């Protein structure tokens, strides 16, 4: 057989129909196989199903599974009062974590100023003939050596300080997107939907015929997507939950 001129292409994306947005993100909990999906032609229309390739012959209508996933997704939308709490808590946690760097910067500047002042006083004493030139030089060299080390350390701290963010508007934008999560998902392209599912649920999802479940969410999402029962706690209790989760 002549294969001259033929070229095999690798890594081509598999087209995913809009109705099969969760294909290969779902596991059947009994056999733990990934569910695939396809359209089956009826008498007049096509019907789309997720199904298992194993001998169990399991299959679910795509609309049923997709609706169950939307229900799972919407239960993580922020409840009343959560958005304000989220912004305040994230801002407080970030500022607390960066305050040590700001404090170190202030302390280094203070030490440098003290050493500079000591050199100036020694110069005044030299002019008043209260100390010898050799003593002045010793004090000056000692102070300059310490100042050089402190300035090097200060430069390192300043680099760290330059990476600090104004975290509040970032937190506000994040929670705003979260409030519209279901709409953002619903309006997204098929590629956008699959990207979001893969990002939020790295351990995949299971579907038991009733609802979608997951064992583990994205670690970053865990800080945001608290279950309803946790959001029903008192305000101070909620705030402590965030602080416990903070790195």
């Amino acid at each position: 057989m002549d294969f001259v001129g033929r070229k095999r292409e690798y890594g081509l994306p598999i087209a995913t129909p809009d109705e099969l947005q969760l294909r290969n993100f779902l596991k059947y909990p009994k056999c733990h196989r990934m569910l695939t999906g396809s359209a089956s032609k009826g008498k007049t229309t096509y019907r789309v199903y997720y199904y298992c390739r194993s001998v169990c012959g399991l299959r679910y209508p795509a609309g049923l599974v997709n609706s169950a996933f939307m229900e799972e997704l919407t239960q993580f939308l922020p409840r009343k009062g959560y958005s304000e709490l989220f912004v305040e808590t994230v801002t407080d946690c970030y500022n607390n974590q960066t305050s040590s760097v700001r404090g170190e910067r202030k302390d280094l500047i203070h030490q440098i100023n003290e050493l500079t002042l000591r050199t100036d006083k020694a110069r005044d004493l030299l002019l008043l003939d209260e100390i010898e030139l050799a003593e002045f030089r010793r004090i000056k060299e000692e102070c300059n050596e310490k100042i050089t080390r402190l300035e090097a350390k200060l430069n390192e701290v300043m680099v760290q300080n330059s990476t600090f963010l104004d975290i509040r508007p970032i937190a506000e934008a994040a929670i705003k997107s979260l409030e519209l999560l279901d709409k953002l998902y619903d309006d997204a392209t098929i590629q956008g939907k699959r990207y979001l599912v893969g990002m939020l649920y790295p351990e995949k999802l299971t579907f038991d015929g009733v609802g979608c479940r997951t064992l583990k969410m994205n670690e970053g999402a865990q800080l945001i997507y608290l279950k309803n029962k946790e959001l029903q706690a008192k305000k101070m209790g909620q705030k402590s939950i965030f602080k416990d989760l903070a790195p």
Side-chain angles (χ1 to χ4, degrees):
M1 185 177 293
D2 184 10
F3 289 96
V4 176
R6 296 186 181 182
K7 182 179 180 182
R8 179 174 294 181
E9 297 185 9
Y10 296 92
L12 294 178
I14 300 174
T16 303
D18 289 347
E19 298 90 340
L20 296 175
Q21 55 207 240
L22 300 173
R23 185 168 64 181
N24 295 326
F25 284 119
L26 293 167
K27 289 182 179 180
Y28 182 47
K30 291 186 178 180
C31 68
H32 302 291
R33 288 177 178 267
M34 299 299 297
L35 298 185
T36 185
S38 64
S40 176
K41 187 175 182 181
K43 291 182 179 181
T44 57
T45 59
Y46 281 91
R47 295 183 179 180
V48 185
Y49 295 92
Y50 292 103
Y51 64 90
C52 181
R53 289 192 177 96
S54 70
V55 295
C56 68
L58 171 85
R59 72 174 185 173
Y60 294 114
L64 172 67
V65 180
N66 293 338
S67 295
F69 174 73
M70 283 298 295
E71 184 176 346
E72 171 73 8
L73 196 64
T74 54
Q75 73 170 315
F76 297 117
L77 295 177
R79 299 308 187 253
K80 185 178 180 180
Y82 175 80
S83 298
E84 295 81 2
L85 177 64
F86 173 83
V87 172
E88 291 300 326
T89 304
V90 169
T91 302
D92 288 347
C93 289
Y94 183 82
N95 289 338
N96 288 338
Q97 289 176 358
T98 57
S99 62
S100 60
V101 176
R102 294 188 178 94
E104 185 177 9
R105 172 180 174 274
K106 183 177 179 180
D107 181 60
L108 289 170
I109 293 175
H110 175 73
Q111 292 182 57
I112 291 172
N113 290 337
E114 287 292 314
L115 290 168
T116 302
L117 181 61
R118 182 184 175 192
T119 302
D120 291 342
K121 288 182 177 179
R123 183 178 292 104
D124 291 340
L125 293 175
L126 176 65
L127 294 175
L128 294 173
D129 292 329
E130 295 186 13
I131 61 173
E132 299 293 331
L133 179 61
E135 177 66 9
F136 168 72
R137 287 175 175 172
R138 184 191 67 78
I139 294 174
K140 181 179 179 181
E141 290 176 3
E142 179 183 310
C143 290
N144 286 344
E145 182 180 344
K146 291 181 179 179
I147 288 174
T148 299
R149 291 200 301 267
L150 291 171
E151 286 179 339
K153 180 63 176 176
L154 180 61
N155 286 334
E156 295 178 9
V157 173
M158 292 297 287
V159 170
Q160 289 180 279
N161 190 70
S162 67
T163 63
F164 291 158
L165 303 172
D166 184 2
I167 198 66
R168 179 176 289 275
I170 297 175
E172 290 173 344
I175 199 64
K176 188 65 177 178
S177 296
L178 179 57
E179 291 171 347
L180 301 173
L181 179 63
D182 54 340
K183 187 177 187 304
L184 291 173
Y185 180 84
D186 199 40
D187 292 343
T189 63
I190 182 64
Q191 294 82 3
K193 286 182 171 67
R194 290 177 63 79
Y195 174 81
L196 183 60
V197 175
M199 180 183 65
L200 293 178
Y201 302 99
E203 297 296 322
K204 308 300 183 181
L205 294 147
T206 62
F207 183 73
D208 56 9
V210 178
C212 292
R213 302 289 183 270
T214 185
L215 295 177
K216 182 181 179 181
M217 293 184 67
N218 173 284
E219 291 183 1
Q222 289 178 352
L223 301 179
I224 302 174
Y225 297 89
L226 298 179
K227 296 290 187 178
N228 288 342
K229 62 182 180 181
E230 294 176 84
L231 292 174
Q232 292 170 357
K234 293 182 180 179
K235 184 174 181 180
M236 294 304 296
Q238 289 175 313
K239 196 165 186 177
S240 66
I241 290 173
F242 276 109
K243 288 187 176 180
D244 290 341
L245 290 171

